Amino acid sequence: MLDILRRIIQEVNAAQDLEQALSIIVKRVKQSMAVEVCSVYLADSDTQHYVLMASDGLNPEAIGRVRLAPGEGIISVVVETAEPLNIDNATDHPRYLFIAETGEDRYHAFLGVPIIHHRKVLGIVVVRQHAQRRFEENEVAFLVTVAAQLSGAIAHAEVIGAIQISGRGLLQGNNHDGRALEGLPGAPGIAIGTAMVVYPPADLDAIPDRTITHIDAEIATFMAAVKSVQDDMAALGLRLSPKLSVEDRALFDAYRLMLGSDTLINNTLDRIRTGSWASGALRETVNEHARIFDEMDDPYIRERAEDVRDLGRRILVCLQSGKRNAPPYPDNTILVGEEITATMLAEVPGEKLKGVISARGSSSSHVAILARALGVPAVVGAGDLPVARMDGRELIVDGYLGKVYVQPSPALRAEYDRLLREEKQLTAGLAELRDLPAITQDGLRIPLYANTGLLSDVASSLNSGAEGIGLYRTEVPFMIRQRFPSEEEQRRVYRQVLEAYAPRPVTLRTLDIGGDKELPYFPINEDNPFLGWRGIRITLDHPEIFLSQLRAMLRASVGLNNLHILLPMISRVTEVDEALVLLNRARQELCDAGETIERPRVGVMVEVPSAAYQAEALARRVDFLSIGTNDLTQYLLAVDRNNPQVANLYDSLHPAVIHALVQIIQGAHKQNTPVSVCGEMAGDPAAALLLMGMGIDSLSMSAASLSRVKWVIRNFTRTQAQDMLAQVLTLDDANAIRICINTILENAGLGGMIRGGSISGKHSLFH
Ligand code: PEP
Ligand code: MG
């Protein structure tokens, strides 16, 4: 069964469009279950009708015509109960609806199973037989497994289908405006622009579709790549042939044959001649060939699929090594990728980057944080996005709602243009607050700092009126290199940041790699990276890396004395003690060498539940605490901050997080240690007020959030914030807390700043 399932899923995933995907499903399921009919009905999201989309066994004329309204027919019973329905004689069922054109009255046995994706019944897969019988338990289980496995693939194919409808026509796409691609809000704002797909090197499946005009040049490039792989294989074969057995040599011969084969090469050339670029043509040909092998019953022949893919990868590496093959970034670039990395973001010229869409990630993953730092609207976790087909298309990125519109209609585009203009006006209005302090109407002053990690956004943080840097993520300069930066390279980067802000404070966090932040040159392979070797755990295990970073920070601060050092991922006091020993050692070494280095202020990040419970003990050891609500939320709620599947459970307004924050702040204050929040929560205007009610001493956020937070602080009082907290602390559910805060803010006349204003009235800066 597993084998059958694997094959069906492979075929469905490779399908060109929804129609093809569904016809594969009905054909294969009918075959495997030896039934007389297999059909799929899908929900039409506009009308809520269930439409017969594919069938093997029913009258083909009925496909696309039979539409069942809510409550109509046995199908609707499956929809309503969202459970399988197994009956021996469908015609006896009280909800049975006779539909002459399907010809299904000949069949008695009926098994219908819902296809559910993200809690919604997308459709129903039905099998029928003439005989009057109930389907066996194992048959039901098989169909349930098929439906569960296929729901994601169908959702994906549905999206591709919607896009292709517009692609085939005049690219107007007004027939699917209502069907935005759903993702998660990554960074607030709206962007309209042209998609530029970016992808990791040497990954055939990541290659996007792209068209070219210079066909001869593309053919020459492709043939040169093939020749280069042929030469490599010949050289390899020669070098290894004395050591190889006859069978092993046969493998090399098979590779050489394939490379010389008409099919692999000529099919690719044919595709290039139709205007596809070489990499995309190669991807299609390799997938086509590999699929043929995949379908073979003989396991040995099936293995050959991997050879074809391997060969494809080798040719691709050659294609990519000569030149980048990437067209120039469009003026209004919307960067699109399966997984957008810091490097990919950093490579786009700042003035061209308008929006970001990542198929993976969630609102608190680092791509989202970086986008927010750069003030670029982003949608993340758009898992159904057919990335490879996006290149060059016009897109709207709605970073407030986490939605993407592909090839929008002129009407929708005009509506978003209007929103964009309104947003610019709002930002311009807020800009007037730049040089004013964040002070409540009853006189409480809350310093607002900026979070950064890129040198290029230090300037934008300065312009936003930040009073210093509350979190400089030093892993970013580490990520955009091919090796660890030297001590001097680091010193120069840190010096620029410290100098730009002096005499205002700058908090440099020591290296926080691990988790989802991997350095290309320092791979860490773990089953549970977020519970593994991360942050301070790595740097304490590698004192040479840690000392070099600490020395670079200390040397960068000479004469400025505005350096604060922050230690990430602390989960026990001994880690702080050990880090302080190394810091003293680094300073002593520099002083011994004749430099005059002031002692920096040192802080600990509270982002792990154990640190929350030990806030007071930690506060006793250092000069300040900084709460990392991104990780604290993830670890307290046991919800991976990067996993879109559970993103709806990730909520910094969960009562457990709120109570932990209160406890941390109280613990720090018992030691008279100031405490700040540098997680994304600080940049949410409403949450910032709640934190103020708890007695937070300062807030650090992305530069783009600063003016909004300042505005709400200046329009609220400390007493109001304390009252709000008192009410929130009586509630035991995140949604109730959200409603309570929203109501209080609406009543205080701050609703406008909490909502971004929108077409649907649903835009919210405060998700
Ligand atoms: C946090 O965890 O809240 C934080 C600020 O650190 P990072 O997002 O870099 O993990
Ligand atoms: Mg963190």
Side-chain angles (χ1 to χ4, degrees), residues 366 369 471 473 475 509 512 517 530 534 568-569 605-607 627-632 634-635 641 678-679:
H366 285 95
I369 290 172
L471 171 64
R473 292 181 165 94
E475 49 281 1
R509 182 173 70 184
D512 183 25
K517 287 176 287 191
F530 273 113
R534 188 186 164 189
M569 266 303 279
M605 284 205 72
V606 181
E607 51 183 347
I627 309 175
T629 47
N630 307 339
D631 277 313
L632 189 62
Q634 130 161 304
Y635 292 125
R641 62 193 266 187
C678 65

Side-chain angles (χ1 to χ4, degrees), residues 25-41 52 54-60 63 102-112 125-131 133 135 143:
I25 294 171
V26 291
K27 198 168 118 206
R28 293 282 183 236
V29 170
K30 184 181 159 209
Q31 256 174 11
S32 333
M33 292 185 70
V35 288
E36 281 138 26
V37 178
C38 177
S39 313
V40 172
Y41 294 79
L52 177 66
S55 180
D56 188 347
L58 293 187
N59 176 8
I63 294 173
T102 58
E104 66 184 343
D105 48 325
R106 279 173 285 153
Y107 306 106
H108 297 290
F110 172 102
L111 171 61
V125 52
V126 178
V127 292
R128 308 291 308 266
Q129 252 183 325
H130 184 259
R133 69 164 184 113
F135 286 88
L143 204 58

Side-chain angles (χ1 to χ4, degrees), residues 11 54 182 211 239 280 317 339 345 353 387 396 432-433 437 461 498 501 517 520 543 549 555 577-578 606-607 630 634:
E11 280 185 65
E182 300 279 345
T211 49
R239 187 150 51 86
V317 168
E339 182 141 40
L345 270 179
L353 182 62
V387 172
I396 293 177
E432 291 167 13
L433 298 181
S461 313
L498 289 164
Y501 269 88
K517 287 176 287 191
Q549 184 175 41
R555 285 174 52 220
D577 296 337
E578 285 162 24
V606 181
E607 51 183 347
N630 307 339
Q634 130 161 304

Side-chain angles (χ1 to χ4, degrees), residues 198-516:
V198 285
Y199 47 91
D203 181 354
L204 257 183
D205 291 329
I207 296 293
D209 288 345
R210 202 165 268 172
T211 49
I212 42 115
T213 41
H214 300 318
I215 290 178
D216 290 342
E218 200 67 11
I219 289 181
T221 312
F222 176 66
M223 290 315 291
V226 173
K227 171 83 173 54
S228 158
V229 175
Q230 271 168 337
D231 292 349
D232 283 355
M233 298 311 290
L236 252 179
L238 265 184
R239 187 150 51 86
L240 295 178
S241 65
K243 298 183 199 149
L244 289 181
S245 66
V246 179
E247 298 87 72
D248 293 340
R249 258 206 308 273
L251 185 73
F252 277 90
D253 292 341
Y255 267 45
R256 275 217 295 280
L257 276 177
M258 274 194 257
L259 269 175
S261 83
D262 274 0
T263 33
L264 196 60
I265 307 304
N266 284 347
N267 286 2
T268 308
L269 290 176
D270 286 346
R271 290 193 160 97
I272 297 176
R273 286 190 194 102
T274 66
S276 167
W277 69 321
S279 304
L282 178 69
R283 181 204 69 208
E284 282 295 288
T285 311
V286 166
N287 282 344
E288 187 180 82
H289 283 248
R291 245 190 334 265
I292 296 171
F293 285 117
D294 276 336
E295 282 172 20
M296 302 287 177
D297 284 325
D298 180 333
Y300 177 80
I301 300 184
R302 234 175 23 227
E303 283 292 302
R304 302 285 71 76
E306 213 16 67
D307 296 344
V308 176
R309 292 195 181 98
D310 182 35
L311 213 49
R313 274 192 295 271
R314 285 166 189 276
I315 300 175
L316 181 69
V317 168
C318 291
L319 281 172
Q320 291 178 334
S321 66
K323 52 191 169 85
R324 284 297 305 274
N325 276 306
Y329 292 100
D331 284 343
N332 290 326
T333 295
I334 308 285
L335 204 64
V336 179
E338 278 298 335
E339 182 141 40
I340 302 280
T341 62
T343 332
M344 290 167 175
L345 270 179
E347 273 172 356
V348 191
E351 71 288 358
K352 293 194 169 180
L353 182 62
K354 300 292 182 244
V356 174
I357 306 172
S358 181
R360 305 224 189 104
S362 74
S363 305
S364 50
S365 58
H366 285 95
V367 53
I369 290 172
L370 269 177
R372 282 196 285 269
L374 294 171
V376 177
V379 171
V380 294
D384 293 332
L385 181 80
V387 172
R389 293 164 198 230
M390 288 291 108
D391 210 56
R393 293 182 188 269
E394 189 189 37
L395 301 178
I396 293 177
V397 179
D398 185 333
Y400 294 116
L401 296 180
K403 288 184 188 237
V404 176
Y405 295 89
V406 185
Q407 308 283 155
S409 66
L412 188 74
R413 170 139 193 175
E415 191 59 30
Y416 268 95
D417 276 332
R418 183 185 63 76
L419 268 175
L420 211 53
R421 278 195 304 277
E422 274 179 19
E423 208 185 42
K424 281 201 181 115
Q425 279 166 7
L426 182 70
T427 315
L430 290 172
E432 291 167 13
L433 298 181
R434 208 195 87 137
D435 299 319
L436 298 175
I439 184 162
T440 61
Q441 299 201 329
D442 51 357
L444 174 69
R445 183 155 155 45
I446 306 273
L448 301 187
Y449 301 120
N451 290 352
T452 103
L454 291 171
L455 273 181
S456 54
D457 61 17
V458 168
S460 63
S461 313
L462 264 174
N463 287 336
S464 68
E467 295 171 65
I469 301 268
L471 171 64
Y472 183 87
R473 292 181 165 94
T474 58
E475 49 281 1
V476 180
F478 277 70
M479 280 177 187
I480 55 183
R481 287 189 165 70
Q482 302 303 316
R483 54 167 173 77
F484 281 110
S486 69
E487 187 173 317
E488 179 52 22
E489 279 170 332
Q490 290 186 58
R491 187 198 67 80
R492 282 201 294 269
V493 174
Y494 304 153
R495 179 80 190 176
Q496 283 186 52
V497 189
L498 289 164
E499 246 170 9
Y501 269 88
R504 288 168 284 189
V506 170
T507 307
L508 300 181
R509 182 173 70 184
T510 63
L511 195 58
D512 183 25
I513 50 169
D516 65 334

